[in-house]
Amino acid sequence: KLEQISLSIEAKIPKIDPIAESLKKSLSKILSLSADRIGITATSGEGLTPFGRGKAIRCLATATVTPSLPAGRLTMTTFVPSP
């Protein structure tokens, strides 16, 4: 189950702060998650990266999830690639 999500956006344009609440509402509807469980931060990158110079946009997302299976029914699988 999705518990919360945090987005960190780096872009020169568009300015994120003026549209952050609208983004939260849209994500809330899409993800079936309360808007107060969605965090959005933004930076211009001070022009030090391609994102800060307006050549691209970067978004890093972190999600907190909890198992939705009843206790005792959760199984974990680890994938280890062969050499």
Side-chain angles (χ1 to χ4, degrees):
K1 176 182 172 194
L2 182 60
E3 296 291 340
Q4 62 188 27
I5 189 166
S6 174
L7 303 175
S8 177
I9 304 168
E10 183 180 352
K12 182 175 182 179
I13 51 173
K15 296 293 184 195
I16 302 302
D17 287 341
I19 61 171
E21 286 305 313
S22 175
L23 289 172
K24 278 186 181 185
K25 285 181 184 176
S26 294
L27 287 169
S28 175
K29 193 178 284 189
I30 292 167
L31 300 172
S32 298
L33 187 65
S34 174
D36 66 344
R37 310 291 290 173
I38 300 170
I40 298 177
T41 59
T43 180
S44 67
E46 304 294 326
L48 300 175
T49 66
F51 313 105
R53 291 191 295 272
K55 298 182 182 279
I57 296 174
R58 172 170 44 192
C59 179
L60 304 172
T62 303
T64 302
V65 295
T66 57
S68 58
L69 296 174
R73 303 261 334 237
L74 181 64
T75 59
M76 300 297 288
T77 303
T78 304
F79 173 73
V80 179
S82 34

